[in-house]
Amino acid sequence: MDSTRVTEQPTSCERPDPGATPADAPGAFPPAPAHGPGPAPSASSAASDTAGHGAEHSQPHAGQESGPDTHRPRPAAEGIPLQPAGGRKPDVHDHPAADHPAADHSAAAPPAPRGAPEEQADRKPGDQDRTDRDRGSQDRSAPVPEGPERRTGQITPPGKPTPMRRDGDRLRFVGAATRRIARGIDLEEIVMGLCRATVPTFADTILVYLREPLPVGDERPTGPLVLRLRRSDRIPAERDTEGGFVPAAAPAPSELDSLGSERCTVRPGSALAEVLRGVRPVFTDAPAARAALPELLGEGAESAVPDGQRAILAPLRGRRRVIGAALFLRGPDRIAFEADDLLVAAQLATHSALGIDKAVLYGREAYIADELQRTMLPENLPRCTGVRLASRYLPAAETARVGGDWYDAIPLPGSRVALVVGDVMGHSMTSAAIMGQLRTTAQTLAGLDLPPQEVLHHLDEQAQRLGADRMATCLYAVYDPVAHRITIANAGHPPPILLPIGGRAEVLRVPAGAPIGVGGVDFEAVELDAPAGATLLLYTDGLVESRLRDVWTGIDQLRDRLAATAQLTGPDHPPPLEALCDEVLDMLGPGDRDDDIALLAARFDGIAPNDVAYWFLEPEDAAPGRARRLARKALSRWGMEDLSDSVELLVSEVVTNAVRYASRPVTLRLLRTDVLRCEVGDDVPQLPRLRQARATDEGGRGLYLVNRLARRWGATRLSTGKVVWFELNHGN
């Protein structure tokens, strides 16, 4: 048999190498090897060499030319290009080298390899083959030169990539696309990754529809299946040579722009429902898919879908159910989809649907964690008499906004306020749950008006009841605006910093104590001055400690930052609280966020002595009348005579109820701040209860009057009794 005839028909089990030209197809003549001096081998000897070595020698040497067509390397794997316009399916026999197998190959022989003849002689038979393959793989990574496209014979414009017609191209495209889709962590990123990976490499236009609302996990959706257009993308009118978009000129309008309605309801038993139930991607020229297009795109929009196999409808199926659909389209100026492209669409749809499923689950978990943390922390700080408050909270990471840090401000009897900041070990949902229990316990203990050291002692017992490894640090302080004093107890927490007006920030010397949860440790409390205008800063260790610095270095930096900020407003004015908190957080560097950060700032305004009136009343029948006279004198001194009638009535009712059961002197105190506050204390621990008096009752209407006339009122139990208080606006 003539060897030249054999080279024209490649075997069915072999595919042309992607990096080789059609002349290098399996069975074609290999290039003539380099020989020493002497005549070149004949064509018959080359044919015998081909039969001996088979397809191993089908790769040409680097820089070798075969026939009239220059070797065209394959584009890089990350940029699998779109297909050029028009053209029939190419065939190996279309190449001139296949029609003229006896063409002169001596001109294409590679240059003799460098090196001594002895080195060439020692080379093993397979070394040359491996060298040729390595050179071929290097050539395939080179940029594509301009010229005729070697499979279709058409001219490829500059910047227009070559067709994706080989299995290797499809595999590399699917690999690059799935990696891009997998990089997304939320729903928008995954859908955008699908669109950007698909257009323009695989399709000219893509429409992504998702179920609304998306089911989460195993929950069963209720109501009809509704699909909403989540995102659409299409190839721009022009591309530059780098593969980017040209922003200067707007893309030309296309009939593909009119595709896609915002919402569609999938009717049970409809053509669209059957296509989605089938799960597999289908060409839209199929009868079932063609009937489903009007339901998906809207009436009349299906006419804009290109005819033939230029559109693929791919259902998006998650772990449990169909969650959407993707429509891939190619314009008329482009090669139609092939049967293998259905497998590519299936891979893209599967990876995208599973990624969307996981993104929805992640979003639900992040929402639950964020809601848990938000409900554990105070939504708004209370407005307390004689003190202004500001706070900040920063989680350790944006992806997990939960942690064990907390802060709180709790109003106490006598216009006092408790300032609390704590830190549970870790920054997980378990830490947040433990933090919530400790914060609730602290609020309950504060309501009993216990001393700070007793509050920490009970918190330590509560932490031991929660578990052996439930440990936390906490700082509990009580500020009295009338006495201008603050009492602080510490349980292993970083010390607070006090910033007075015109002074230097100082770290308060408080006993360190042991963390909560250790057990068997006594806590100590210290009482310090709290001058008016001073600022107390309570914080967690995440603000001052990181991998780049220790705790005390961070505390010194924080103190210097506070002092520098105070100098900006001058020696007579304290810095604004909100701006001060922002300045404190600005001291954090890029590597300083290793833990959660809780920050609580308190500005001590205090209550001036001339704004306080305080009396002791003996528990006798004349006490209510004396209380009315004392209150009238105090209001006259403050220029608040317009409140005399209301204050006398309410003071008389509250003092009457107190002296009825008290055995010790009753206290009466009036405080003039932005409101008028009246406090009546006695030694009876039972709290009064508001009730509706009957027409025949002689009493029981005192608290009803207080509830109707006062701006606010309340009762707080003390360790020695209780305090009943009410507030009136100055304009009442």
Side-chain angles (χ1 to χ4, degrees):
M1 183 179 350
D2 189 0
S3 60
T4 60
R5 301 297 298 173
V6 175
T7 58
E8 294 182 345
Q9 299 293 335
T11 58
S12 59
C13 62
E14 295 178 340
R15 295 181 179 269
D17 187 83
T21 61
D24 300 324
F29 287 113
H35 292 277
S42 62
S44 60
S45 62
S48 62
D49 291 341
T50 303
H53 293 284
E56 290 185 352
H57 294 276
S58 60
Q59 293 286 349
H61 294 283
Q64 174 185 349
E65 296 183 357
S66 177
D69 192 8
T70 305
H71 175 69
R72 299 288 298 275
R74 179 179 300 174
E78 289 291 335
I80 304 301
L82 65 135
Q83 300 179 0
R88 61 179 179 87
K89 187 174 181 180
D91 190 83
V92 177
H93 304 287
D94 294 342
H95 200 280
D99 295 335
H100 302 281
D104 185 12
H105 293 275
S106 60
R114 297 181 181 179
E118 293 80 11
E119 296 176 359
Q120 299 298 325
D122 293 337
R123 188 177 301 222
K124 297 181 181 180
D127 293 345
Q128 183 64 32
D129 301 336
R130 287 190 295 269
T131 303
D132 294 345
R133 287 194 295 269
D134 294 341
R135 291 175 178 173
S137 63
Q138 295 174 2
D139 292 343
R140 287 194 296 269
S141 63
V144 180
E146 299 180 8
E149 206 282 315
R150 55 187 174 85
R151 293 184 64 90
T152 62
Q154 298 180 356
I155 300 298
T156 304
K160 190 80 169 180
T162 56
M164 184 176 65
R165 299 296 300 273
R166 307 176 184 89
D167 291 343
D169 292 344
R170 290 188 174 91
L171 290 176
R172 281 189 292 273
F173 165 70
V174 171
T178 53
R179 285 194 299 271
R180 186 164 191 170
I181 294 170
R183 283 198 295 264
I185 194 174
D186 59 12
L187 182 62
E188 293 298 332
E189 291 178 351
I190 292 174
V191 175
M192 181 181 293
L194 171 63
C195 295
R196 295 294 172 84
T198 303
V199 178
T201 306
F202 183 69
D204 293 337
T205 303
I206 182 175
L207 285 79
V208 181
Y209 287 83
L210 294 182
R211 190 166 191 155
E212 189 181 54
L214 280 169
V216 181
D218 296 334
E219 69 179 21
R220 303 181 68 87
T222 58
L225 173 58
V226 178
L227 298 180
R228 184 173 72 89
L229 182 62
R230 191 76 185 194
R231 186 177 179 86
S232 62
D233 202 356
R234 73 178 186 88
I235 189 172
E238 297 179 357
R239 290 176 59 90
D240 59 9
T241 56
E242 297 297 329
F245 298 122
V246 181
S254 170
E255 61 180 2
L256 300 179
D257 295 340
S258 61
L259 289 178
S261 60
E262 286 296 327
R263 292 168 60 94
C264 71
T265 301
V266 182
R267 299 184 303 273
S270 63
L272 180 57
E274 293 299 326
V275 172
L276 296 179
R277 187 181 295 113
V279 177
R280 297 181 180 277
V282 294
F283 291 118
T284 56
D285 60 350
R290 200 70 189 179
L293 289 179
E295 188 176 355
L296 179 66
L297 305 178
E299 293 295 336
E302 75 278 3
S303 59
V305 177
D307 297 330
Q309 295 184 351
R310 298 183 179 276
I312 297 177
L313 180 59
L316 301 179
R317 180 175 177 82
R319 295 173 58 250
R320 299 288 180 182
R321 58 189 61 86
V322 173
I323 60 175
L327 184 62
F328 305 93
L329 302 109
R330 287 182 179 176
D333 59 340
R334 192 164 174 188
I335 298 176
F337 289 111
E338 298 178 356
D340 289 343
D341 291 327
L342 291 177
L343 301 178
V344 176
Q347 289 290 328
L348 296 176
T350 300
H351 283 277
S352 301
L354 293 178
I356 291 171
D357 251 1
K358 294 177 182 179
V360 172
L361 286 173
Y362 167 77
R364 173 62 64 87
E365 291 181 0
Y367 170 78
I368 293 174
D370 191 55
E371 284 295 305
L372 175 64
Q373 183 71 40
R374 187 185 62 82
T375 54
M376 294 299 180
L377 295 175
E379 186 173 356
N380 295 305
L381 292 173
R383 297 185 58 184
C384 302
T385 303
V387 62
R388 286 174 287 172
L389 303 170
S391 62
R392 295 290 187 274
Y393 174 78
L394 292 179
E398 291 296 328
T399 55
R401 301 179 60 88
V402 292
D405 294 15
W406 90 91
Y407 60 88
D408 214 341
I410 309 169
L412 299 179
S415 299
R416 297 172 300 157
V417 58
L419 306 175
V420 191
V421 64
D423 182 6
V424 179
M425 288 193 311
H427 40 81
S428 61
M429 295 186 67
T430 302
S431 302
I434 298 173
M435 175 268 288
Q437 298 181 64
L438 293 180
R439 177 174 177 247
T440 303
T441 304
Q443 288 181 330
T444 304
L445 296 172
L448 300 177
D449 197 28
L450 297 178
Q453 65 271 21
E454 290 298 324
V455 172
L456 295 183
H457 175 72
H458 289 291
L459 282 177
D460 179 61
E461 294 180 342
Q462 176 66 14
Q464 295 180 60
R465 285 190 290 267
L466 293 177
D469 57 344
R470 309 308 189 195
M471 299 182 63
T473 62
C474 183
L475 192 143
Y476 189 93
V478 175
Y479 170 65
D480 189 345
V482 177
H484 296 272
R485 303 282 289 178
I486 184 170
T487 305
I488 305 175
N490 190 12
H493 204 78
I497 297 179
L498 184 66
L499 179 64
I501 294 182
R504 185 174 183 272
E506 60 174 320
V507 180
L508 298 183
R509 297 181 178 273
V510 297
I516 293 173
V518 174
V521 180
D522 291 333
F523 298 98
E524 301 179 24
V526 294
E527 187 174 353
L528 305 171
D529 289 331
T535 303
L536 183 69
L537 196 70
L538 308 179
Y539 53 90
T540 57
D541 58 355
L543 180 64
V544 295
E545 183 182 19
S546 69
R547 292 171 293 178
L548 306 178
R549 59 185 178 183
D550 57 67
V551 175
W552 289 107
T553 301
I555 291 176
D556 291 339
Q557 294 178 1
L558 176 59
R559 182 182 58 188
D560 296 340
R561 173 59 66 94
L562 291 175
T565 305
Q567 293 177 358
L568 298 177
T569 57
D572 300 330
H573 301 281
L577 274 184
E578 298 294 337
L580 181 65
C581 292
D582 294 335
E583 286 292 331
V584 167
L585 294 181
D586 285 343
M587 67 176 284
L588 297 173
D592 292 346
R593 288 285 301 279
D594 298 331
D595 198 0
D596 306 332
I597 297 175
L599 180 66
L600 179 62
R603 173 71 43 77
F604 299 144
D605 294 334
I607 300 177
N610 57 355
D611 291 332
V612 181
Y614 191 84
W615 305 278
F616 287 94
L617 303 174
E618 293 295 330
E620 55 188 10
D621 295 341
R626 184 167 179 261
R628 289 193 296 268
R629 292 191 299 271
L630 294 173
R632 187 185 309 115
K633 290 181 181 179
L635 294 177
S636 177
R637 185 172 69 251
W638 292 336
M640 303 172 66
E641 292 86 352
D642 55 335
L643 297 180
S644 295
D645 295 339
S646 300
V647 172
E648 289 182 29
L649 175 61
L650 299 183
V651 165
S652 177
E653 294 294 338
V654 176
V655 171
T656 299
N657 188 65
V659 301
R660 180 177 300 175
Y661 305 102
S663 57
R664 296 180 180 180
V666 176
T667 60
L668 173 63
R669 184 166 72 169
L670 295 180
L671 303 173
R672 184 184 65 167
T673 57
D674 53 343
V675 296
L676 179 66
R677 183 183 177 97
C678 177
E679 299 174 351
V680 178
D682 58 62
D683 60 345
V684 181
Q686 286 78 17
L687 300 180
R689 179 173 58 88
L690 180 65
R691 65 183 181 88
Q692 187 72 33
R694 293 174 297 181
T696 56
D697 292 342
E698 296 182 359
R701 296 176 178 84
L703 288 181
Y704 179 77
L705 294 174
V706 174
N707 185 61
R708 292 298 300 270
L709 297 179
R711 173 178 174 265
R712 289 194 313 160
W713 76 278
T716 306
R717 184 179 285 108
L718 303 176
S719 57
T720 58
K722 69 175 181 294
V723 169
V724 179
W725 57 270
F726 62 86
E727 294 177 352
L728 292 173
N729 292 325
H730 287 207
N732 285 11

